[in-house]
Structure formats: C-alpha cells, structure tokens
Amino acid sequence: MIKALFLLQKFSMSPLVSIIIPTYNRAHIIGPTLDSVIAQTYQNWECIVVDDGSNDNTQEVLNDYVNKDSRFRFYIRPDDHLPGGNGARNYGFKMSKGELIQWFDSDDFMLDRKIELKVEAILSKEYDFALCKSGELTSFNPYTVNQKWKIQSEGNILLDHLKTNIAFTTAGPLFSKKFLNDKNLFDEKVKIGQEWEFYSRLLTYKPRIIYVDKVLYHFRNLQGGIRESIDNEKYLNRCRTDQKLFKFINQSGYFKRRSKLHYDYQQFKFYWCLRRFHYLRRNTDHALAVSNLIKYLKLIDNHYFTLNISRNLFNFKHWNNILKKAL
C-alpha cells in the first residue's frame, strides 16, 4: 500500500519531458511529426526543434507551431556545434529544461501513448532509460508497418548491440537527464551510424534499462525520408567511428580480460575489420584499405591472436570460415 502511494505520488509529479528534434529541409514533412507530439496523452512536454541550416520554409512552418502551442521551441544550430544532426541534437540537449530526454527524428511519428508509457516505466524504479519497440513504415497507401529491430538482448547487451543483433534507433530510448549529464553525447564528427556509436558507448556504463513491450513509434523507410545510401566518404567516416569506439570500449574495461566475453569481443572486431578491409579494397585504393586494416588490428588484443592460432592451427574449416566472413 505504501509503495503504491509512493508510485502514485511520483506519477502525479509529471516530470517535464524534453523532446528534441533536429531538422534539415523538412518543411514538407515535419508537420505530421509535430502533430504526433501534440497528440500525446502525456501533456507535460517541451518540444525543441533545432534547424541545421535549412534553405526551405522550415522556419515558417515551425513559427506556426510555436505560435499555436508554447510548448514548442525553435532554434537554429549555432556555429559552435558542427553541421549535421548530431550537432543539432547536442544543442537541443543544451537548451532542454526537462528531467527526461527524448530524442526524435523529423520524419517519424509517435503513437499517442509513447511518452506516457515510457515515463510510467522509467519512474517505476530508478531506471536510466526506458526502451520501446518501433515499426518501420514502408507504405502510406495502404499504411503498412513492419516491426524491424529487436531491442532486448539474449546474450551480452553491448556485444549484441555492436553486432546489430539489437538496435534502439534515435527515437527508442527515453533517458533520465541525470544519467546523461556527465556523459559525452552524440559525436558530432560521426556522419553515419551515430545511434549505433552513441548507444554502444552508453552501454559501457551498464545503465539500468526497462523495456516497454509495445510498438510506440513509426519511422519512415520511404523516398523523402532522412535515411541515405552509403558512399565511400561516409564509409571511411564509419571506419574512423568504429576505431574510435573500439578504443573507447577497450579503455573502459567493460569486458574482463581473458574472459569468454572478452574473447568474443576480440573475435567480433577481427571479423569486422576484415569486412571493412574487403570493402575498401574493392571500392578504394589498396593502400587505404591496408592502412585501415592496420589501425583495426592494433585495437585487437594480442592474446586473441595467440589463442586463436594455437587452438585452430590445423583447423582448415576455421580459416576458411574467416575468409568467408571477410568476403
């Protein structure tokens, strides 16, 4: 009875939720996203939209929303944050006033109880963030949504996230601001895979996570959405992101050395770097491929190579499997 009253008191506080949305040339598409925010059953929110240098009528569209609902706030990303969604996300966080943080994308849609159910979940105990499922919108006519990403791990959560066996997406977690306050947020130099990098880095802190077993938002996979194809420049940026992240994880001590998980992590990095090498060898020049391979290999524990070779010296099936993974 006492616990129930305590939780009721907590819920009645209705902490302010800061919804942070970066945007770039989305005047034609952001309206339904903002309408889905207005439609939330949970009403104590502020929605911070940060423009990343649009040259369409984004500002005009946002001014209309700001004028009709004071909970909307519109900013233009300042020059002390790098161009791109990550700089806009970080600036939005800087301007936020809420106890809870929800990043979102300018072409996605919240279902009406998204914020309510995640606030309820995160307040049920001292959780660092609450996760929910997502639906991939593949067609408007008929309206077709497929559930795509798993969010719960069957093994080690960080390793499964690195392997993309699970994925949270930008809009997945609702964070306690206290958990984020002493962390580096989105890496503004990352051009692709920013959620993967950010959430993988956060998982090294072993956050307390609660899962809401419902699809609570839809994200677009349609022409006109923000998801883009990968070119060689972006691929090289992704390689630099990998290397920086692996160095961070290595230094964090998350995987206890000589443990099975540590071995599995080294093996993952080895296969990962072989795939990167193969792509670069085919699509760029050989010297660039080799230099990146060396950078990756330096991030793999030497003990892994010694153990791997000694265990599999005459196991031709093993080495053949490695070659397949590299291709």
Side-chain angles (χ1 to χ4, degrees):
M1 180 65 178
I2 294 175
K3 184 178 179 181
L5 288 171
F6 173 72
L7 290 178
L8 184 62
Q9 184 182 26
K10 260 186 137 177
F11 294 143
S12 67
M13 292 177 186
S14 298
L16 179 65
V17 176
S18 295
I19 301 165
I20 302 168
I21 303 177
T23 191
Y24 175 73
N25 284 348
R26 295 294 159 193
H28 64 294
I29 210 171
I30 195 171
T33 299
L34 301 183
D35 291 339
S36 77
V37 174
I38 293 173
Q40 290 300 296
T41 55
Y42 189 88
Q43 291 292 296
N44 192 23
W45 51 262
E46 61 173 0
C47 184
I48 299 168
V49 181
V50 182
D51 185 75
D52 189 39
S54 296
N55 51 29
D56 63 1
N57 63 324
T58 292
Q59 186 163 351
E60 181 183 336
V61 171
L62 263 297
N63 284 341
D64 287 342
Y65 278 89
V66 170
N67 289 334
K68 70 182 180 183
D69 193 324
S70 62
R71 292 175 296 179
F72 285 104
R73 293 157 60 197
F74 178 63
Y75 298 96
I76 295 173
R77 176 192 50 76
D79 291 339
D80 59 344
H81 287 270
L82 293 179
N86 288 348
R89 290 182 184 101
N90 289 345
Y91 182 68
F93 179 84
K94 186 185 295 184
M95 303 308 294
S96 67
K97 299 176 182 177
E99 297 174 54
L100 301 173
I101 301 293
Q102 174 68 75
W103 279 289
F104 206 65
D105 283 336
S106 60
D107 59 349
D108 298 340
F109 310 102
M110 296 185 178
L111 302 191
D112 60 1
R113 298 189 70 199
K114 173 178 167 61
I115 301 299
E116 176 196 348
L117 293 178
K118 290 205 294 183
V119 168
E120 183 179 314
I122 203 170
L123 290 182
S124 63
K125 285 186 180 178
E126 291 295 321
Y127 289 106
D128 296 314
F129 61 92
L131 281 171
C132 66
K133 294 179 178 178
S134 63
E136 179 186 33
L137 175 60
T138 56
S139 171
F140 271 117
N141 189 20
Y143 195 93
T144 307
V145 175
N146 299 316
Q147 195 170 316
K148 188 172 183 180
W149 302 111
K150 287 175 59 179
I151 59 171
Q152 285 188 269
S153 172
E154 296 176 0
N156 178 269
I157 188 170
L158 175 55
L159 198 53
D160 276 345
H161 194 266
L162 288 169
K163 292 178 178 180
T164 66
N165 293 337
I166 58 173
F168 303 155
T169 80
T170 303
L174 174 72
F175 287 99
S176 163
K177 195 173 192 177
K178 287 192 296 184
F179 172 69
L180 295 172
N181 272 333
D182 61 346
K183 313 289 190 303
N184 290 326
L185 300 180
F186 288 93
D187 187 333
E188 297 183 13
K189 293 181 179 179
V190 174
K191 303 300 180 188
I192 185 169
Q194 57 264 27
E195 302 100 329
W196 176 82
E197 187 278 336
F198 179 47
Y199 296 139
S200 292
R201 186 159 33 89
L202 288 186
L203 287 173
T204 66
Y205 296 99
K206 301 180 180 179
R208 295 157 296 182
I209 304 171
I210 186 168
Y211 299 90
V212 179
D213 192 23
K214 292 179 183 293
V215 172
L216 294 179
Y217 66 99
H218 296 161
F219 65 90
R220 294 179 193 248
N221 189 11
L222 302 164
Q223 186 176 5
I226 63 175
R227 290 155 185 89
E228 302 174 281
S229 59
I230 302 175
D231 56 27
N232 287 346
E233 184 181 350
K234 287 182 180 177
Y235 198 89
L236 284 168
N237 181 270
R238 182 62 186 264
C239 290
R240 291 191 291 272
T241 299
D242 297 344
Q243 293 156 16
K244 186 176 179 180
L245 175 63
F246 294 159
K247 184 177 181 180
F248 179 88
I249 295 172
N250 291 352
Q251 294 174 344
S252 75
Y254 178 92
F255 295 107
K256 185 178 179 182
R257 289 195 78 238
R258 308 287 175 98
S259 66
K260 183 181 184 305
L261 275 177
H262 187 261
Y263 179 88
D264 291 344
Y265 169 56
Q266 307 309 317
Q267 184 162 276
F268 157 75
K269 287 186 292 183
F270 182 51
Y271 290 152
W272 190 271
C273 80
L274 290 178
R275 289 194 292 272
R276 293 290 192 243
F277 170 72
H278 182 67
Y279 177 94
L280 292 173
R281 183 175 60 83
R282 284 187 309 169
N283 295 282
T284 64
D285 61 84
H286 189 73
L288 189 60
V290 171
S291 67
N292 270 275
L293 178 64
I294 292 169
K295 290 175 184 176
Y296 276 109
L297 291 176
K298 286 181 178 178
L299 296 168
I300 300 173
D301 194 302
N302 290 333
H303 181 69
Y304 165 77
F305 293 111
T306 304
L307 192 60
N308 203 359
I309 291 170
S310 63
R311 282 178 176 177
N312 300 287
L313 186 59
F314 300 108
N315 186 347
F316 298 110
K317 185 177 180 181
H318 173 77
W319 302 116
N320 186 54
N321 187 48
I322 287 178
L323 287 174
K324 285 181 180 178
K325 285 183 180 289
L327 300 176

